[in-house]
Amino acid sequence: MATERADALKKTMRGLLRGRFARAGLFCFEEIGSTNAFLKEQANAEPGEAVAFALSQTAGVGRRGHTFSTRPGEALHLSFLLRNLPERGAPASLSVGLAVQQALFALCGEGFSLKWPNDPLAGGRKVGGILCEAVPGGIVCGIGINLLLSARFFAEQNLPNAVSVQMVTGSAPAPEVLAAAIAEKLELVLAADAHTVLASYAAHCATLGAQVRVFGADGRVVLEGVAESITPQGELMVRTADGRVAVRAGEVSVRGQNGYV
């Protein structure tokens, strides 16, 4: 029965995908540990690009390594195995983030933005996450979007600054519809020149102009200042009391109405 449901899901996704990703390998699951982990394992066996989609995950990885599980339909679980990215293109993590923001805007309307480098925000609060990991000959980009999860769920998970699409807009698209919309936007973003992508990204980045804190791997604040711009390499330029610093990696918290997010 589980195989039949997965086959039906794959047929639905095949009907929704267009262009570049309609030609990619497609893997669909009713339940999986992690779509990213699956595609990382498939990277050596899959010569081209691939898409993995699941209705639920049991071993998703979120902020600071936080693991979580969801029930079918509560969230989007989607990963892309990308190949042959342009050498002078915009950084993949920013490109995927922009594609997600554009897809959410197209389906759900205003109120969606990005926190550097690629955290999707809804109403200024975290509505999902993106994890990009290098593999031989390419990169795997995993996308998780909270669709129907409740405020109670986030309270139980000790995630006070997280929301779902439904909490913000009153409704949410079906996971497979959002997955197809992201794939469509991602193809367009990957085909655009780096300057165009970075300009569009900056226009939708809630981090710019805000007071930010940058955390190191040990969870300690390593610098604090105002986020000013995005460099051509995708770095976050922060003006601190000691001058301007280009942030290449690290977790960034943005000060908003609800404190730092």
Side-chain angles (χ1 to χ4, degrees), residues 166-212:
Q166 185 180 56
M167 287 170 61
V168 174
T169 68
S171 62
E176 56 269 31
V177 172
L178 179 55
I182 291 173
E184 177 184 354
K185 297 299 184 183
L186 182 56
E187 179 172 7
L188 294 174
V189 171
L190 293 177
D193 64 88
H195 177 77
T196 298
V197 173
L198 291 174
S200 183
Y201 175 92
H204 297 96
C205 183
T207 309
L208 296 182
Q211 184 78 18
V212 299

Side-chain angles (χ1 to χ4, degrees), residues 144-184:
I145 301 295
N146 307 324
L147 296 176
L148 302 176
L149 294 167
S150 66
R152 180 178 179 179
F153 171 87
F154 296 120
E156 291 173 347
Q157 297 292 318
N158 193 28
L159 298 170
N161 290 316
V163 293
S164 67
V165 173
Q166 185 180 56
M167 287 170 61
V168 174
T169 68
S171 62
E176 56 269 31
V177 172
L178 179 55
I182 291 173
E184 177 184 354

Side-chain angles (χ1 to χ4, degrees), residues 207 209-212 224-228 237-240:
T207 309
Q211 184 78 18
V212 299
E224 188 169 352
V226 176
E228 289 191 331
M237 190 63 69
V238 178
R239 179 173 293 280
T240 72

Side-chain angles (χ1 to χ4, degrees), residues 114-137:
L114 294 163
K115 186 184 76 169
W116 185 89
N118 54 20
D119 277 348
L121 303 179
R125 300 169 72 182
K126 188 174 166 70
V127 75
I130 297 171
L131 177 63
C132 294
E133 301 176 276
V135 295

Side-chain angles (χ1 to χ4, degrees), residues 14-138:
R14 275 292 180 211
L16 291 171
L17 291 173
R18 298 287 186 271
R20 174 175 181 163
F21 295 108
R23 301 184 294 272
L26 178 62
F27 303 90
C28 294
F29 307 90
E30 183 180 14
E31 181 180 278
I32 194 173
S34 163
T35 54
N36 246 37
F38 174 81
L39 281 189
K40 286 170 64 180
E41 293 175 356
Q42 288 289 124
N44 288 324
E46 189 70 30
E49 295 189 315
V51 179
F53 173 84
L55 289 180
S56 65
Q57 279 193 161
T58 59
V61 179
R63 195 175 194 180
R64 297 180 183 175
H66 179 82
T67 58
F68 60 91
S69 62
T70 60
R71 292 176 296 188
E74 288 183 329
L76 171 71
H77 309 291
L78 176 69
S79 292
F80 294 94
L81 170 57
L82 303 176
R83 306 279 196 190
N84 303 315
L85 296 177
E87 292 184 5
R88 296 186 179 181
S93 61
L94 273 63
S95 296
V96 174
L98 178 60
V100 169
Q101 186 276 330
Q102 291 181 342
L104 286 168
F105 172 77
L107 293 177
C108 307
E110 300 282 353
F112 295 94
S113 58
L114 294 163
K115 186 184 76 169
W116 185 89
N118 54 20
D119 277 348
L121 303 179
R125 300 169 72 182
K126 188 174 166 70
V127 75
I130 297 171
L131 177 63
C132 294
E133 301 176 276
V135 295

